[in-house]
Amino acid sequence: FSAQKPNIIYILADDLGYGDLGCYGQKVIQTPNLDRMAAEGLRFTRHYSGSTVCAPSRSALLEGKHTGHIYVRGNGQLQMRQDPHEPIFPAALQKVGYHTALIGKSGLGCNTDDAPLLNAKGFDHFFGYTSHTAAHFYYPDYLWRNGKKVTYPKNTLHEGDNYSSDVVMAETMTYLDQQKDGPFFLHLALQIPHASLRAKEEWKEKYRPILKEIPRKTNQDKFHYSDEAEPKTTFAAMISYMDHNIGLILKKLQDLGIAENTLVIFSSDNGAMNEGGHKRTSFNSSGSLRGGKRDLYEGGIRVPTIAWWPGTIQPKRTTDHLSAFWDLSPTFRELAGAAPQADTDGFSLVPTLKGNGEQKKHSSLYWEFFEGGGKRAILKDEWKLILFNTNKNKSPKAELYHLTKDPAEKNNLADKHPEKVASLTTLMNQA
């Protein structure tokens, strides 16, 4: 049974920029395990997140639809409704024999304590945070396991004896041991590197000689996020610690003898952040791309993405195939032999992953976002149109970029090509 049906692990970092990994050009922060994963697998150079912040991005992922077609289109109190509303693809995998799990940060909403909803919607096992605000802190006073609170009485949000990323990794390793006979789908939704900035001392020590950062005075009472004395050191330490954990997962798959029957995909939910004392310019986190989190420029939505599947995905491959989060539902359904999704905006990436067969291509990709006055974006062929202040302005400011010639989005061509702005705006309204 499991010989034909591969295990699937989808790992999502939180606020990791396009340029934060060595295999995407990072020069300071060391990510040897993710770099090795890319060398042994497939690296995507034009893969896009569902949105430019957490909740809508994850909804687009789980529902297989872009933000013009989903219910949770922004961060806040909203969450997915009970079935039959907002069906998610793990439920389709359950129907063909998969055990499904989400460990880490829930993708079903934003600020909610409705933990039983995850089990009801399609996850056999859930452990972690339901509230994204609670997930700002690495020493929570409680997490959820299948609708029941797991308490950590000595944790005080910024300090304590249970570092959430350690706890999440322990749960992941136990899960892999328990489900090694497969088939399983594991969505591992990491907090790192989202602020607060918190890292263990052993990982900070690796970067102090490199960064030589002078610690600053802190006053935690003034801040929501942790007031970190060494923000650069801590941010770099967090990413290297995350990379170390990815290495442990890959080793576990090898040790269990299931690596060749397991697809592992790693990505990020949106672009690089400027939060919690961290500046994305500190490590050139967006690489050569413009902007970051909360932007619809490339730096806000183009994300580092790696696929690893020994024996199936040939090593040292790179693809510039235009793809997005809404492609993952059709991809995983096809691999699992599950029912296809009738109303998806995506196309299965199986031909790209396996390197054979005909890969369907998007005619366009679309995003809408409601913070900062509202923004919309559409990407078609080599052209990208972004509209600003769309919440109230009936004739919003337009920026038009030719991404092939201008990947850094420096030259706004909207005034020179009004006909292109008009045609892309019509496409936006249809989306």
Side-chain angles (χ1 to χ4, degrees):
F1 186 53
S2 65
Q4 291 82 37
K5 293 181 181 285
N7 306 311
I8 302 166
I9 302 177
Y10 183 80
I11 305 171
L12 195 63
D14 198 335
D15 292 1
L16 185 77
Y18 189 79
D20 275 330
L21 304 180
C23 52
Y24 283 87
Q26 177 56 230
K27 297 289 190 275
V28 180
I29 303 171
Q30 294 158 19
T31 56
N33 294 292
L34 283 158
D35 297 347
R36 177 174 65 86
M37 188 176 162
E40 294 175 359
L42 174 64
R43 188 172 65 90
F44 289 76
T45 59
R46 296 194 74 197
H47 186 73
Y48 289 86
S49 62
S51 181
T52 187
V53 294
C54 292
S57 190
R58 292 157 196 264
S59 283
L61 167 75
L62 291 168
E63 290 185 55
K65 300 177 185 180
H66 63 57
T67 37
H69 291 154
I70 60 175
Y71 179 65
V72 180
R73 300 190 189 191
N75 283 346
Q77 300 302 319
L78 216 55
Q79 68 174 10
M80 290 184 192
R81 298 164 292 185
Q82 291 276 2
D83 288 352
H85 301 288
E86 292 86 61
I88 62 175
F89 73 78
L93 272 52
Q94 283 179 324
K95 290 176 181 171
V96 291
Y98 274 71
H99 192 279
T100 61
L102 195 163
I103 298 175
K105 176 171 158 176
S106 168
L108 269 60
C110 190
N111 289 328
T112 167
D113 255 353
D114 189 356
L117 184 65
L118 284 116
N119 300 116
K121 292 288 283 184
F123 289 105
D124 294 307
H125 180 72
F126 168 69
F127 174 75
Y129 296 86
T130 57
S131 163
H132 291 193
T133 300
H136 292 174
F137 310 114
Y138 287 82
Y139 292 91
D141 46 2
Y142 67 89
L143 295 172
W144 292 99
R145 183 182 285 116
N146 299 324
K148 295 180 180 176
K149 277 186 178 178
V150 180
T151 59
Y152 303 102
K154 292 183 180 177
N155 278 4
T156 58
L157 302 187
H158 301 299
E159 304 290 345
D161 60 355
N162 279 280
Y163 183 56
S164 56
S165 294
D166 284 348
V167 174
V168 160
M169 271 304 293
E171 187 87 4
T172 299
M173 292 305 197
T174 299
Y175 180 80
L176 293 175
D177 281 330
Q178 290 171 343
Q179 300 299 326
K180 63 181 182 291
D181 294 334
F184 64 83
F185 169 73
L186 169 61
H187 177 19
L188 177 57
L190 306 172
Q191 286 166 278
I192 291 175
H194 196 302
S196 294
L197 299 181
R198 272 289 179 262
K200 297 194 133 183
E201 201 60 28
E202 65 195 274
W203 290 95
K204 288 186 190 178
E205 283 172 5
K206 297 176 191 298
Y207 283 99
R208 286 191 178 114
I210 299 168
L211 296 172
K212 299 180 172 63
E213 186 175 17
I214 298 169
R216 46 183 280 280
K217 288 184 178 179
T218 62
N219 182 359
Q220 184 57 62
D221 294 341
K222 288 173 65 178
F223 295 95
H224 166 79
Y225 294 115
S226 60
D227 189 18
E228 176 54 61
E230 302 168 283
K232 290 183 183 178
T233 303
T234 305
F235 182 81
M238 289 168 77
I239 291 182
S240 281
Y241 164 75
M242 175 187 73
D243 177 82
H244 168 76
N245 287 338
I246 304 295
L248 294 179
I249 291 168
L250 300 184
K251 184 177 185 300
K252 170 68 83 171
L253 297 174
Q254 302 276 17
D255 292 347
L256 292 173
I258 59 174
E260 293 198 346
N261 197 40
T262 304
L263 166 65
V264 182
I265 294 180
F266 174 89
S267 192
S268 175
D269 66 340
N270 49 247
M273 66 173 179
N274 280 326
E275 285 177 2
H278 171 68
K279 294 181 174 58
R280 62 175 179 260
T281 53
S282 294
F283 296 100
N284 197 26
S285 287
S286 295
S288 61
L289 305 179
R290 180 177 180 180
K293 183 179 182 179
R294 293 192 169 81
D295 292 321
L296 291 181
Y297 297 119
E298 293 290 281
I301 50 178
R302 198 193 297 194
V303 287
T305 304
I306 302 164
W308 181 87
W309 188 355
T312 297
I313 294 177
Q314 294 305 305
K316 297 180 180 174
R317 286 177 55 216
T318 301
T319 179
D320 63 358
H321 171 68
L322 194 65
S323 58
F325 273 18
W326 42 96
D327 292 326
L328 292 161
S329 171
T331 302
F332 296 154
R333 287 166 184 262
E334 181 180 339
L335 289 171
Q341 180 177 343
D343 61 351
T344 182
D345 293 310
F347 298 121
S348 170
L349 295 170
V350 170
T352 294
L353 294 174
K354 293 188 173 181
N356 57 45
E358 186 177 343
Q359 177 63 61
K360 287 186 180 176
K361 295 184 178 180
H362 290 280
S363 60
S364 63
L365 299 178
Y366 172 75
W367 298 265
E368 57 187 60
F369 182 57
F370 301 96
E371 294 179 31
K375 303 167 192 172
R376 304 166 80 195
I378 194 160
L379 174 56
K380 180 173 173 57
D381 302 323
E382 59 270 86
W383 292 97
K384 170 128 165 254
L385 176 69
I386 310 174
L387 300 182
F388 295 84
N389 299 314
T390 54
N391 292 356
K392 294 179 180 178
N393 195 335
K394 290 181 180 176
S395 300
K397 186 183 91 163
E399 293 183 11
L400 179 70
Y401 298 99
H402 190 289
L403 285 185
T404 309
K405 296 176 182 173
D406 180 26
E409 296 171 296
K410 290 178 179 174
N411 303 308
N412 176 14
L413 302 174
D415 290 343
K416 290 184 179 176
H417 297 279
E419 76 295 337
K420 182 62 73 174
V421 172
S423 67
L424 289 175
T425 301
T426 300
L427 269 181
M428 268 190 185
N429 293 338
Q430 292 167 358

